[in-house]
């Protein structure tokens, strides 16, 4: 990945970038990890997920980049796991953290079409990953992002978390959990103006991306609007490259347009 705008992401660092991607075994997270490793400004990537060490793709990538990639297991819903991840990093500072974890459906979990389908168990599961996880990740990693060089904490949200854009209804837990993620990280961005003047926190909508998360719901997607993960990752890195402390706390889509709250 050598696009000029992505080079800009690392241009104002006076040291090669230390990066963490969590959710790195997923569709978007894996593509981001691969593209970051292709960038000469990136010194090292830590790629995490709950079962990262059983991801064939991540293990192969680690074999290809033994000095620049560490693959490790971590659970974003567990603050002890995140603190252990922070303590295990190869350097004490981070320049870029990307949260690419997410949960929409599972063997016993489906996005609710009606109010009657909402359950306490599903709300808790979906909020644990999509809302509580990102702020616990920020709590664990932000102490490593307080330094004299630029830093970006980027978290994958979703346009369906926009309250003003909610025209279709449905997907109660996922929508509300993404909305909560946005509020939690926006709040952190305000605190960080004082504590982390070089940091930018970004909430990103990746578009509809062909991954395990979206696969059961791709039928209605308009022609040309389903991005393959490599394209989505390139678009997201281009947006991340425009992050500054001044626009910290924004909710921004893959094409650089701001998403209404
Ligand atoms: N795909 C889309 O169309 C789309 C649209 C809008 C927004 N998004 C957002 O984009 C992000 C990435 O989505 P994706 O499509 O790449 O999803 P994906 O392919 O399902 O990947 C999800 C990743 O999250 C990891 N993960 C899940 N629970 C975790 C936990 N508790 N702790 C640590 N890692 C966990 C998974 O690995 P393990 O299971 O091994 O932990 C996997 O690496 C999500 O936030 C999603 O909501 C996606």
């Amino acid at each position: 990945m050598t696009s000029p705008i992505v080079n800009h992401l690392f241009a104002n660092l006076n040291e090669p970038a230390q990066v963490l991607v969590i959710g790195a075994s997923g569709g978007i997270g894996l593509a981001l990890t691969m593209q970051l490793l292709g960038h000469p400004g990136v010194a090292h990537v830590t790629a995490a997920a709950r079962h990262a060490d059983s991801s064939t793709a991540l293990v192969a990538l680690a074999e290809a980049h033994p000095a620049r990639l560490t693959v490790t297991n971590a659970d974003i819903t567990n603050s002890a796991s995140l603190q252990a991840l922070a303590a295990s990093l190869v350097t004490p500072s981070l320049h870029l953290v990307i949260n690419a974890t997410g949960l929409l459906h599972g063997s016993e979990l489906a996005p609710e079409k009606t109010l009657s389908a909402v359950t306490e168990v599903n709300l808790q599961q979906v909020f644990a990953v999509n809302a509580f996880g990102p702020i616990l990740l920020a709590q664990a990693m932000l102490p490593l992002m307080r330094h004299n060089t630029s830093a970006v904490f980027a978290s994958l949200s979703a346009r369906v978390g926009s309250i003003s854009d909610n025209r279709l209804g449905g997907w109660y837990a996922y929508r509300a959990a993404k909305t909560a993620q946005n509020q939690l990280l926006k709040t952190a961005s305000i605190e960080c103006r004082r504590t982390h003047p070089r940091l930018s926190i970004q909430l990103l909508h990746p578009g509809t991306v062909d991954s395990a998360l979206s696969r059961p719901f791709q039928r209605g997607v308009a022609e040309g609007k389903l991005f393959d993960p490599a394209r989505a990752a390139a678009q997201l890195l281009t947006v991340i490259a425009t992050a500054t402390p001044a626009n910290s706390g924004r909710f921004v889509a893959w094409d650089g347009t701001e998403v209404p709250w």
Side-chain angles (χ1 to χ4, degrees):
M1 169 58 53
T2 53
S3 94
I5 193 147
V6 174
N7 285 337
H8 172 77
L9 172 62
F10 303 109
N12 50 0
L13 296 177
N14 47 25
E15 53 198 280
Q18 301 291 335
V19 180
L20 168 68
V21 180
I22 184 163
S25 59
I28 300 172
L30 180 64
L32 284 165
T33 303
M34 291 169 77
Q35 290 180 25
L36 286 162
L37 284 168
H39 197 285
V42 172
H44 187 268
V45 180
T46 299
R50 272 173 315 174
H51 314 293
D53 63 357
S54 55
S55 158
T56 322
L58 281 181
V59 170
L61 214 48
E63 277 166 13
H65 300 273
R68 292 177 68 227
L69 178 64
T70 303
V71 173
T72 188
N73 294 345
D75 185 343
I76 199 168
T77 67
N78 180 324
S79 57
S81 172
L82 294 172
Q83 296 293 343
L85 174 63
S88 74
L89 294 174
V90 294
T91 62
S93 63
L94 282 171
H95 303 101
L96 175 62
V97 171
I98 304 181
N99 168 34
T101 66
L103 177 65
L104 173 60
H105 62 89
S107 55
E108 294 185 14
L109 172 73
E112 314 88 341
K113 290 187 181 148
T114 61
L115 179 57
S116 59
V118 172
T119 69
E120 192 181 343
V121 170
N122 288 2
L123 284 167
Q124 276 168 350
Q125 231 185 321
V126 171
F127 266 71
V129 178
N130 296 297
F132 307 155
I135 197 69
L136 293 175
L137 179 71
Q139 186 184 55
M141 300 305 158
L142 261 45
L144 310 181
M145 304 185 87
R146 193 175 189 167
H147 44 64
N148 290 331
T149 42
S150 302
V152 179
F153 181 100
S155 187
L156 290 182
S157 182
R159 187 182 291 277
V160 296
S162 164
I163 292 177
S164 55
D165 193 58
N166 184 356
R167 295 182 186 91
L168 291 177
W171 293 23
Y172 285 78
Y174 183 75
R175 271 185 197 282
K178 291 295 192 186
T179 312
Q181 177 190 160
N182 290 351
Q183 178 70 291
L184 287 162
L185 288 175
K186 171 80 184 181
T187 302
S189 77
I190 292 168
E191 180 177 335
C192 285
R193 280 185 208 150
R194 188 169 34 85
T195 57
H196 294 64
R198 306 294 305 271
L199 175 73
S200 187
I201 295 182
Q202 302 280 307
L203 290 148
L204 304 176
H205 168 60
T208 306
V209 183
D210 186 9
S211 72
L213 182 138
S214 70
R215 209 148 287 143
F217 311 102
Q218 293 176 358
R219 214 161 2 114
V221 180
E223 174 114 24
K225 291 284 182 193
L226 181 66
F227 303 139
D228 67 68
R231 178 174 169 189
Q235 290 171 163
L236 289 170
L237 289 174
T238 299
V239 172
I240 289 170
T242 64
T244 65
N247 64 30
S248 185
R250 70 180 173 165
F251 182 17
V252 61
W254 58 273
D255 58 358
T257 58
E258 289 213 19
V259 184
W261 297 112

